[in-house]
Amino acid sequence: MRYRIRFLGPALALLAGCASTTAPVAVAPPVAPIAVSCTEDALSEQPCVAMARQKCSAPTVDTIQLVLATPVAMADGAGTKQRYDYRATYHCPVSVTSADAP
């Protein structure tokens, strides 16, 4: 019995050490957020997307905040139209700086 403990003790300690070691895991690169704000003439599901495309070729919407909806007099004085001020955050699947590369 004593010999079993001498042999099994170090073997179990070795196995326990191997079990706690993790293999390296591939990590996706972080998504670069792009914050933009703009004024639009109509409600939109992708406000300020043109500004986001200047920094990223394929932005996707993260958050949209309608900051202010203001009635604005039309140039001919025939009535009013709405003006919408937005703040939006887009995600870029690649680094923002890589969009600037040729």
Side-chain angles (χ1 to χ4, degrees), residues 5-102:
I5 293 174
R6 278 190 191 167
F7 175 72
L8 289 177
L12 289 176
L14 181 63
L15 288 175
C18 291
S20 64
T21 314
T22 58
V25 177
V27 177
V31 177
I34 301 169
V36 291
S37 60
C38 64
T39 300
E40 305 240 344
D41 293 333
L43 289 174
S44 174
E45 292 183 7
Q46 291 188 326
C48 317
V49 72
M51 294 175 72
R53 283 192 180 128
Q54 291 175 357
K55 297 182 179 181
C56 176
S57 60
T60 57
V61 174
D62 178 37
T63 57
I64 299 172
Q65 181 181 17
L66 177 60
V67 178
L68 183 64
T70 309
V72 178
M74 296 181 71
D76 60 2
T80 62
K81 62 179 182 175
Q82 292 290 324
R83 184 183 77 188
Y84 302 96
D85 295 333
Y86 286 102
R87 232 181 282 158
T89 305
Y90 288 87
H91 282 291
C92 189
V94 294
S95 172
V96 175
T97 57
S98 67
D100 296 333

